[in-house]
Amino acid sequence: MTDATPVPASPPSRRARVRAPELIGKGGWLNTGEMSYTLADLRGRIVILDFWTFCCINCLHVLDELRELEEKHRDTVVIIGVHSPKFVHEAEHQSVVDAVERYEVHHPVLDDPELATWKQYAVRAWPTLVVIDPEGYVVAQHAGEGHAHAIAKLVEELETEHAAKGTLRRGDGPYVPPEPVATDLRFPGKALVLPGGHFLVSDSTRHQLVELDADGETVVRRIGTGVRGFGPDSFSEPQGLALLPDGKVIVADTVNHALRTYDPASGAIETVAGTGRQWWQGSPTEGPALEVDLSSPWDVAWWADRVWIAMAGVHQLWTYDPATGTVGVAAGTTNEGLVDGPAAEAWFAQPSGLAAAGDRLWIADSETSALRYVERAGEGDGEGDGGGFVIRTAVGAGLFDFGHRDGAAGQALLQHPLGVTALPDGSVAVSDTYNHALRRYDPATGEVTTLATDLREPSDAVLVGEDIVVVESARHRLTRLRLPDEAVNVEAVAHRTQRAATEVAPGALRLDVVFTAPTGQKLDTRYGPSTRLLVSATPPELLAEGGGAGTDLHRELVLADGVTEGVLHVSAMAASCDDDPANEYPACHVHQQDWGVPVRVDGTGTSRLTLVLAGLDA
């Protein structure tokens, strides 16, 4: 049993009355027909603010979680995406415009590049959902994924309460869809060269694969209905592609949380791994491929006699073995960050690109802006007889440092790369997505250079003879470049994530994660503790006491003397089930979130750090 006993949800009439701050965003409004809105304009409607940023896989999961609620309550609920950037590229207005179309965001979006509204609502993590009642008061806050069911219950309560009070206003919302644009590709993700010389491209926003002629422009055929789905001829935002030894193509069907195969000879599409459901903590991590849930597979590669999967949704690498029809975790703990070492102990952050190259599998680890690789472990690598795998980093410093800087790999910087391509000379090209550039890392010299600039969100590249063909995702095309003999000179820039640090007092620090089970639910303690808390720090020396895993949603931390700033990494999970003794099989839900909280130690700082997983901080 955990002693983190939740406070029962208050009845509607007793909710805390906290007036919602105004919505402010220097970038203005999208999906509103060029209209601007204030909270007063939305009075009478239930407003759900979705604080998101388009680099964040958890934010993309929440977009999908909200689609059903958005459709069902369209006449009473207004969802507003408050775009709050992490990376410099995400603060560019056109990038937000692109992302809103790319991910089919069908509600108004406030572009807040300076995090003004984020700060007013004291948000600490992507994604965060805030519910505002029809009278303009904040009634709930939820961080992370898995809250759609709880918000749906709250919406029904608010509809009943405010209909009775006469304060609910029904009708059409402020959403105005943008005009569609005609292009052969729309935000393509990945590409490969088929044996006959044609290109196969994942046309992600149109939920299709597209075969192009060798010129990279002429459409030969489209594969899939083009409508989001998990049927025999449909995909949902497909991304990674890889050729299998039998001539079929394996496809990372990202939002379907599945692997599919496409046979270019027959046109047949088959599901080979995944159930269509998203993996959650506590679900199986190995077994028959069609019985194990996956989570946003973003890329695939054939290496070491099996398919390797960049499982962006859980910050891991998995493998699929076609010979046995099984899947399993190959590397990563699900903790988000940059930690090298034995595969089972490594940390990743949204691995999004893979490339096999001899004895190495290269990885574009997007959220750490890093280039990393897998190789077989040798003596001294902590893998026993050396038969396992080890993870190493070639370029990248961690979750909060990024930029465009060439030179020695130890100080070079990337910005959210999504693709990596093995080159004939043993070096690798990196699709440095948010720098709009193609970069190169040479293991022989340890140097990073820039091969090309003025690309628009490159997400992958493939070799064709002496050329490299780049997937320019935000220009909706393939772009052919001659590999240059010399690097392009660029002015070096470096950035850190612009989030205000929390001032904390030295010594003892009380950490409280707030979780209130949704109305009609309780913590699921049938099989032991239903909550989990994991705490660590960067640098590790910041924490003198209190790190590690536990089952309570509170923790007494002790900050070490002499370390004045750093980041506290907090991962929390809670499972709740329907509270109905008569129901033998109650519906259960998992709520989870990872926070990276920048802190600065100061004598006047707080001695209590509160993070809201679900509910309101009393």
Side-chain angles (χ1 to χ4, degrees):
M1 286 285 292
T2 174
D3 64 2
T5 305
V7 178
S10 301
S13 61
R14 295 173 54 196
R15 288 194 184 95
R17 305 289 283 175
V18 179
R19 177 66 72 178
E22 192 50 83
L23 305 177
I24 304 168
K26 187 176 180 180
W29 290 81
L30 304 175
N31 283 355
T32 62
E34 300 186 355
M35 293 287 292
S36 297
Y37 287 90
T38 65
L39 284 176
D41 298 327
L42 303 172
R43 198 76 79 235
R45 310 298 290 272
I46 300 163
V47 177
I48 300 173
L49 303 181
D50 176 13
F51 289 87
W52 70 300
T53 188
F54 62 80
C55 72
C56 161
I57 190 66
N58 311 93
C59 300
L60 303 186
H61 289 167
V62 167
L63 284 176
D64 290 315
E65 288 179 4
L66 292 176
R67 293 187 197 278
E68 182 179 351
L69 182 147
E70 186 171 33
E71 183 60 35
K72 182 178 180 181
H73 298 276
R74 189 169 293 279
D75 66 332
T76 59
V77 171
V78 175
I79 296 176
I80 295 174
V82 182
H83 189 268
S84 313
K86 171 185 175 182
F87 290 98
V88 169
H89 169 63
E90 293 174 312
E92 298 173 7
H93 182 70
Q94 185 58 47
S95 300
V96 182
V97 173
D98 289 344
V100 167
E101 181 188 354
R102 180 196 297 266
Y103 298 115
E104 297 184 306
V105 180
H106 292 165
H107 51 249
V109 172
L110 177 64
D111 182 10
D112 183 17
E114 297 177 348
L115 302 182
T117 299
W118 165 287
K119 294 171 185 174
Q120 287 295 312
Y121 281 82
V123 175
R124 293 185 183 274
W126 298 277
T128 291
L129 298 168
V130 176
V131 182
I132 302 171
D133 73 12
E135 295 179 286
Y137 292 93
V138 174
V139 292
Q141 181 172 323
H142 302 263
E145 302 178 50
H147 301 293
H149 70 287
I151 292 176
K153 287 180 178 294
L154 177 57
V155 164
E156 291 172 357
E157 292 176 13
L158 291 171
E159 287 176 341
T160 300
E161 175 188 355
H162 288 274
K165 291 175 64 176
T167 51
L168 183 68
R169 177 166 57 90
R170 295 180 181 271
D172 293 335
Y175 171 64
V176 177
E179 290 293 324
V181 181
T183 53
D184 287 333
L185 301 174
R186 205 69 192 162
F187 298 104
K190 305 288 185 181
L192 60 76
V193 180
L194 294 169
H198 286 186
F199 294 94
L200 189 67
V201 183
S202 55
D203 198 19
S204 300
T205 298
R206 295 220 177 102
H207 315 296
Q208 290 181 315
L209 309 181
V210 178
E211 183 179 338
L212 300 176
D213 191 82
D215 62 9
E217 298 180 4
T218 305
V219 175
V220 176
R221 64 176 57 85
R222 297 183 180 275
I223 300 99
T225 62
V227 178
R228 182 192 298 272
F230 195 34
D233 295 309
S234 55
F235 299 96
S236 186
E237 297 181 31
Q239 285 285 341
L241 307 167
L243 276 172
L244 297 178
D246 63 4
K248 294 181 181 179
V249 176
I250 192 154
V251 182
D253 196 4
T254 304
V255 179
N256 277 328
H257 309 295
L259 299 186
R260 321 288 289 281
T261 56
Y262 164 63
D263 187 345
S266 67
I269 299 169
E270 181 184 359
T271 302
V272 295
T275 63
R277 298 183 301 270
Q278 184 183 340
W279 186 94
W280 291 96
Q281 289 285 352
S283 301
T285 55
E286 61 181 1
L290 291 170
E291 299 176 13
V292 177
D293 299 339
L294 309 181
S295 182
S296 296
W298 206 275
D299 203 6
V300 283
W302 180 260
W303 186 70
D305 297 322
R306 61 197 58 201
V307 175
W308 285 68
I309 310 163
M311 201 73 78
V314 285
H315 317 300
Q316 290 180 313
L317 302 181
W318 287 42
T319 60
Y320 161 63
D321 186 350
T324 61
T326 57
V327 293
V329 175
T333 64
T334 76
N335 295 323
E336 185 178 14
L338 195 156
V339 176
D340 289 341
E345 301 172 14
W347 292 22
F348 298 94
Q350 287 179 219
S352 301
L354 299 174
D359 58 359
R360 288 182 178 178
L361 178 69
W362 292 96
I363 309 158
D365 200 29
S366 62
E367 280 291 286
T368 55
S369 297
L371 173 65
R372 307 174 73 184
Y373 59 92
V374 188
E375 65 180 3
R376 292 198 179 275
E379 292 185 13
D381 282 325
E383 286 282 1
D385 61 4
F389 296 96
V390 65
I391 310 301
R392 306 191 195 281
T393 297
V395 184
L399 284 166
F400 301 96
D401 293 281
F402 56 91
H404 191 153
R405 188 164 63 198
D406 288 333
Q411 56 85 51
L413 293 172
L414 309 169
Q415 187 179 179
H416 197 81
L418 290 177
V420 60
T421 307
L423 299 180
D425 63 358
S427 66
V428 289
V430 180
S431 295
D432 194 5
T433 308
Y434 287 4
N435 279 328
H436 309 300
L438 190 67
R439 312 286 293 283
R440 175 177 178 262
Y441 167 68
D442 186 352
T445 64
E447 292 287 313
V448 175
T449 53
T450 298
L451 297 177
T453 57
D454 193 32
L455 301 168
R456 186 68 186 172
E457 292 192 15
S459 55
D460 196 19
V462 293
L463 288 174
V464 181
E466 296 182 356
D467 295 341
I468 190 165
V469 176
V470 181
V471 180
E472 273 199 276
S473 189
R475 283 199 178 114
H476 320 293
R477 70 187 188 190
L478 303 187
T479 299
R480 186 182 295 261
L481 304 172
R482 179 57 56 94
L483 282 171
D485 295 328
E486 296 181 0
V488 177
N489 290 320
V490 296
E491 183 177 351
V493 292
H495 302 286
R496 295 212 85 212
T497 300
Q498 296 302 305
R499 291 170 58 194
T502 299
E503 304 281 350
V504 295
L509 177 66
R510 166 85 177 197
L511 171 65
D512 286 316
V513 175
V514 176
F515 177 74
T516 303
T519 302
Q521 294 195 348
K522 64 178 181 179
L523 287 177
D524 177 19
T525 57
R526 292 172 298 166
Y527 308 108
S530 61
T531 55
R532 172 180 175 269
L533 183 65
L534 178 67
V535 181
S536 62
T538 301
E541 297 77 22
L542 175 65
L543 272 181
E545 296 179 23
T551 57
D552 298 336
L553 290 181
H554 61 81
R555 184 80 58 87
E556 297 293 339
L557 310 178
V558 177
L559 304 179
D561 294 334
V563 182
T564 58
E565 62 180 9
V567 178
L568 288 175
H569 302 283
V570 180
S571 177
M573 184 272 288
S576 62
C577 293
D578 291 343
D579 188 10
D580 182 0
N583 186 354
E584 186 178 356
Y585 303 104
C588 297
H589 305 273
V590 175
H591 319 255
Q592 63 183 43
Q593 172 63 9
D594 297 329
W595 292 268
V597 184
V599 296
R600 183 177 297 111
V601 181
D602 185 273
T604 62
T606 182
S607 59
R608 178 177 182 255
L609 176 62
T610 304
L611 302 174
V612 177
L613 179 60
L616 292 172
D617 182 17

